[in-house]
Amino acid sequence: MALQTVILGIIVILCLALAVYSEWLRPLRYPLTQWTIPLRRLSRKDWGIVTVLLLVVFIQQRLRAEGYLNSGLLLGLILLTLWYGWIRQPIARVSAEGIVINGQFIRWAHIKRYHLTAEGALILTLAQQKVTLCAQHADDLQRLYQHIIAQPNQ
């Protein structure tokens, strides 16, 4: 087995582990979710570039008629890229104790300030950082904003 095959296999296994963790294991780490907010996706241009580059490598691999293992691993990487960048919907999970955004649990008590912008983003100011929450629907942000205001420890 060539070094290229081993490296490609490790990358596919790590990407698959990340996919399983983010979809099924990460929600188990945090408190029970009251509701979820679908977030806006990152730029599809970036994911498109990665997908096209992987397709070019896959086509070159097939034209050179090299091993099926490398082609299968590249195809798996392409499918994971399509899932992660195009199919998967990023969400924020709201619970009674706080909110989970991009795998980061923020307790309601840690929010120092919050601001709802005209562009449709909720900016949460913490002690050390600012977190921007861009939801797909403005109604979800308004509901979250009202939920934060209703917290007794704010």
Side-chain angles (χ1 to χ4, degrees), residues 66-116:
E66 292 188 14
Y68 289 108
L69 182 60
N70 281 350
S71 298
L73 290 173
L74 278 171
L75 187 61
L77 196 56
I78 291 169
L79 293 175
L80 284 169
T81 303
L82 289 173
W83 171 79
Y84 198 75
W86 298 83
I87 298 170
R88 181 181 164 267
Q89 176 65 48
I91 60 172
R93 292 178 169 83
V94 180
S95 68
E97 293 85 20
I99 184 169
V100 178
I101 304 170
N102 296 329
Q104 178 184 8
F105 182 64
I106 302 170
R107 296 194 181 278
W108 299 124
H110 294 151
I111 299 173
K112 304 297 181 198
R113 286 186 308 243
Y114 44 90
H115 176 67
L116 189 59

Side-chain angles (χ1 to χ4, degrees), residues 1 3 8 12 15 22 29 49 57 64 71:
M1 202 178 326
L3 181 63
L8 193 57
V12 169
C15 288
S22 68
R29 290 183 52 207
I49 291 169
V57 171
R64 283 188 268 156
S71 298

